[in-house]
Amino acid sequence: MPGWESVREFTLGNVERPATPTHNRVEWGPNAIRIPSGPKDERVLTACAYVGPDRTLYADAALTELLCRVLQLSEHAWSVEDAAGTELGTITRIPSARRLLRPNWRITQPGHPDILGRTEWLSGPPVRLAAKAASRLLVGVLDGLTGIGDEGGDQPTRPRTLEWRSANTLAMHSEGTNLITLHANWLDRRLPFAYSLLAE
């Protein structure tokens, strides 16, 4: 099983092997943090941390080696603790002051700058934002900002894409819980794992 400490990309789910043109059936497994590997037509999603009850993650499928637990601190804030009860960091959902905008997220890890997760359309310098706007249709912008079609609509659900920046440096990128890519070497992987449990 791959070590969770060095994960670069992961997804959350119970699909071990998705259906592809060369493999026409889905193979299922326990709900877990999974590392994608192999070419597109031979993709395998290998478990590296297993989801337990009450927002816990374990290193083994038998759920005996606790990696971390997520404890709610308030309506919008959670603490992530290791097996010994030491706080690894916190995760905060930040409600938007604007009614149509969806909330942002913040991950804190002691000894490091906070990581702020924002919709990609709201991240980066003005020149970069202008380039993004010029490359996409207005419909895409509205969908990304307001989440039209995500809940209660007839349109298919699209995962929300967030850019997570720490001191103006890209630390993480997430497409819902479908694919989370980690860029910061110093980031304790258990924190983005915990975020995926909250965002699920």
Side-chain angles (χ1 to χ4, degrees):
M1 182 179 75
W4 60 267
E5 301 95 332
S6 57
V7 168
R8 286 289 178 186
E9 287 187 340
F10 72 89
T11 185
L12 173 65
N14 55 8
V15 175
E16 290 186 336
R17 190 169 178 183
T20 67
T22 59
H23 181 81
N24 61 7
R25 68 183 179 87
V26 177
E27 294 181 14
W28 304 91
N31 196 23
I33 302 292
R34 297 181 173 276
I35 304 170
S37 63
K40 185 176 180 181
D41 288 347
E42 298 176 14
R43 187 58 48 98
V44 175
L45 303 171
T46 306
C48 71
Y50 295 85
V51 178
D54 302 319
R55 291 182 177 148
T56 53
L57 285 170
Y58 290 81
D60 63 318
L63 306 184
T64 62
E65 299 176 42
L66 182 67
L67 281 183
C68 66
R69 64 175 59 89
V70 181
L71 303 173
Q72 188 152 13
L73 300 174
S74 66
E75 183 181 359
H76 300 292
W78 296 264
S79 173
V80 182
E81 296 183 352
D82 66 11
T86 302
E87 186 173 83
L88 303 170
T90 60
I91 301 173
T92 307
R93 184 175 181 266
I94 308 167
S96 175
R98 300 179 186 176
R99 188 173 61 86
L100 292 179
L101 296 184
R102 293 155 80 182
N104 296 323
W105 291 83
R106 180 176 59 238
I107 293 176
T108 63
Q109 179 177 328
H112 297 280
D114 290 356
I115 302 174
L116 183 63
R118 304 177 69 194
T119 300
E120 62 176 343
W121 282 97
L122 301 177
S123 300
V127 172
R128 188 160 170 260
L129 293 179
K132 286 181 181 180
S135 68
R136 297 200 184 179
L137 298 173
L138 180 60
V139 173
V141 178
L142 293 175
D143 186 34
L145 294 178
T146 65
I148 294 171
D150 281 2
E151 296 168 7
D154 294 329
Q155 303 173 32
T157 300
R158 287 177 47 183
R160 185 182 182 203
T161 300
L162 298 179
E163 286 188 352
W164 298 74
R165 294 188 170 272
S166 175
N168 295 320
T169 300
L170 185 64
M172 186 167 99
H173 185 271
S174 61
E175 299 171 21
T177 58
N178 291 349
L179 184 64
I180 297 177
T181 305
L182 308 177
H183 299 280
N185 292 329
W186 52 263
L187 179 59
D188 188 315
R189 275 33 185 168
R190 290 170 290 186
L191 293 171
F193 291 173
Y195 161 75
S196 71
L197 295 179
L198 295 170
E200 186 179 20

